[in-house]
């Protein structure tokens, strides 16, 4: 009998779990090593948004569309909470609407989007002059989904999880861990910026810097939201828009408008996402982007206030 290919995944966040899922589908013997007793990094502190619309044209959007089908099958099998009601980008101004109209003209068919009028936005009790709807997005509660996916991979796909195990040296086929030697034919590093500890020389040479995001989880506000909500500010951040030549001039005009009216939004890399998750109906509201080599672990209250103000304006 031919021995199964042994794949070791380092990190049990969403990236590690995705690689474990893919390797198990290939028939590999998969072991996931996680230094903590559970995933507690960015994977459980984020929106839980399966975003197709923002992905750049080409391979990434195609992969996102394939992944969407996998997620839907997973949710159907496990009963894990999710909401497949798409996303809605709301234009706050004529300039933002112009960006959305230009996108729809050149990429709407490919991404399966459609424009919404001011009246349609108002009918959803949102403040805006128009919008862009995509049916592709899936909302999930990241905290629950990570736990269910981990259990499902172990029970259905035979993935072995070793929690509380730190891998501190790799010399294939040998792994040196905090619980003694392990073996693998292939290793996939999915440990975020912790790769700096394993391969500091390579990490430094790549010139990678860290990015910190601020977001807030707010108790059910007494309203029910369907699609995940964004505003035209998001078009300044996602490759589907920024990588489109036809949008160069409209995006430049939008950036200029924001710089004149709300420069702090550009300074802190703020755009708005509002997503309602879980059976309790909490809102996840964000986010900002601060980039640096070393990032403080504290939220900036002024940034939180800016984000909440944007959400209040959108939701009226």
């Amino acid at each position: 009998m031919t021995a199964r290919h042994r794949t070791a995944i380092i990190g049990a966040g969403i990236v590690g779990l995705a690689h474990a899922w893919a390797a198990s589908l290939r028939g590999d013997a998969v072991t996931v090593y996680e230094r903590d007793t559970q995933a507690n990094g960015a994977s459980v502190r984020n929106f839980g948004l399966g975003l197709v619309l923002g992905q750049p044209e080409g391979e990434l959007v195609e992969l996102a569309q394939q992944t969407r089908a996998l997620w839907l099958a997973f949710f159907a099998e496990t009963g894990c909470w999710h909401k497949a009601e798409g996303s809605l980008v709301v234009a706050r101004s004529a300039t933002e609407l112009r960006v959305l109209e230009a996108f729809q003209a050149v990429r709407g068919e490919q991404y399966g989007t459609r424009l919404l009028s001011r009246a349609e936005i108002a009918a959803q009790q949102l403040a805006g002059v128009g919008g862009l709807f995509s049916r592709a997005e899936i909302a999930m509660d990241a905290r629950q989904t990570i736990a269910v996916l981990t259990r499902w991979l172990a029970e259905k796909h035979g993935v072995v999880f070793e929690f509380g195990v730190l891998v501190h040296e790799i010399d294939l086929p040998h792994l040196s861990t905090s619980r003694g030697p392990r073996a693998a034919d292939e290793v996939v590093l999915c440990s975020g910026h912790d790769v700096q500890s394993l391969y500091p020389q390579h990490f430094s040479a790549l010139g990678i810097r860290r990015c910190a995001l601020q977001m807030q989880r707010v108790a059910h506000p007494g309203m029910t939201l369907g699609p995940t909500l964004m505003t035209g500010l998001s078009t300044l951040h996602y490759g589907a828009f920024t990588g489109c030549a036809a949008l160069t001039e409209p995006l430049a005009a939008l950036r200029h408008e924001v710089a004149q009216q709300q420069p702090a939004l550009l300074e802190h890399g703020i755009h708005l996402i509002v997503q309602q998750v879980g059976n309790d109906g909490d809102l996840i509201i964000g986010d900002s982007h601060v980039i640096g080599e070393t990032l403080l672990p504290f939220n900036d209250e002024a940034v939180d206030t800016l984000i909440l103000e944007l959400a209040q304006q959108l939701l009226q």
Side-chain angles (χ1 to χ4, degrees):
M1 179 180 293
T2 304
R4 294 168 68 195
H5 185 77
R6 299 167 299 177
T7 297
I9 311 291
I10 300 179
I14 187 58
V15 177
L17 297 179
H19 279 282
W21 190 352
S24 70
L25 291 176
R26 292 195 303 265
D28 294 0
V30 183
T31 302
V32 178
Y33 299 95
E34 169 58 51
R35 68 175 187 177
D36 293 312
T37 56
Q38 62 182 23
N40 64 3
S43 296
V44 295
R45 301 178 198 169
N46 220 303
F47 289 101
L49 173 59
L51 183 66
V52 175
L53 176 59
Q55 305 304 323
E57 184 181 37
E59 183 182 19
L60 285 179
V61 73
E62 291 169 5
L63 286 172
Q65 290 163 345
Q66 293 172 24
T67 301
R68 182 181 187 275
L70 290 171
W71 274 118
L72 289 175
F74 161 78
F75 288 126
E77 182 173 338
T78 62
C80 184
W81 184 91
H82 72 289
K83 184 170 61 172
E85 296 189 28
S87 67
L88 175 57
V89 183
V90 179
R92 305 178 307 149
S93 69
T95 308
E96 290 187 359
L97 182 58
R98 194 169 145 228
V99 174
L100 300 183
E101 289 173 338
F103 177 88
Q104 180 64 23
V106 296
R107 289 190 171 172
E109 183 176 352
Q110 177 185 355
Y111 283 79
T113 55
R114 66 181 178 90
L115 291 171
L116 271 63
S117 68
R118 180 193 289 265
E120 289 174 300
I121 295 297
Q124 299 194 43
Q125 299 184 329
L126 302 172
V129 299
L132 183 75
F133 175 72
S134 165
R135 66 177 66 254
E137 281 61 53
I138 302 173
M140 58 194 85
D141 189 339
R143 300 175 186 178
Q144 180 193 49
T145 302
I146 290 292
V148 173
L149 180 57
T150 299
R151 188 165 58 247
W152 179 76
L153 287 172
E155 294 174 355
K156 169 145 191 190
H157 292 275
V159 175
V160 175
F161 288 87
E162 291 206 36
F163 287 98
V165 177
L166 175 66
V167 177
H168 49 74
E169 187 176 352
I170 301 170
D171 184 16
L172 290 177
H174 307 292
L175 306 180
S176 179
T177 84
S178 57
R179 290 192 187 169
R182 299 291 191 271
D185 302 304
E186 178 183 11
V187 173
V188 185
L189 290 174
C190 304
S191 54
H193 64 77
D194 281 353
V195 71
Q196 185 176 13
S197 302
L198 275 171
Y199 294 106
Q201 69 280 18
H202 297 298
F203 187 87
S204 176
L206 290 170
I208 294 174
R209 294 183 296 165
R210 302 179 191 178
C211 181
L213 283 60
Q214 283 185 214
M215 58 189 66
Q216 300 159 78
R217 187 165 180 139
V218 179
H220 195 312
M223 64 175 67
T224 300
L225 301 181
T228 296
L229 301 177
M230 294 180 277
T231 69
L233 289 170
S234 296
T235 64
L236 297 172
H237 291 264
Y238 289 123
F241 302 94
T242 60
C244 181
L247 271 64
T248 301
E249 193 277 327
L251 284 175
L254 175 55
R255 185 173 292 276
H256 177 75
E257 179 178 88
V258 177
Q260 294 296 310
Q261 298 178 2
Q262 298 172 294
L265 300 182
L266 296 180
E267 177 187 351
H268 299 291
I270 293 173
H271 69 119
L272 182 67
I273 302 177
V274 181
Q275 176 158 288
Q276 193 164 36
V277 300
N279 295 321
D280 293 333
D282 291 351
L283 296 186
I284 299 181
I285 302 172
D287 59 357
S288 62
H289 300 76
V290 176
I291 297 173
E293 304 222 354
T294 301
L295 300 172
L296 296 175
F298 311 108
N299 271 17
D300 183 331
E301 184 178 356
V303 170
D304 282 343
T305 299
L306 281 170
I307 293 171
L308 282 176
E309 287 175 349
L310 288 174
Q312 289 170 331
Q313 292 162 10
L314 175 65
L315 300 174
Q316 306 187 92

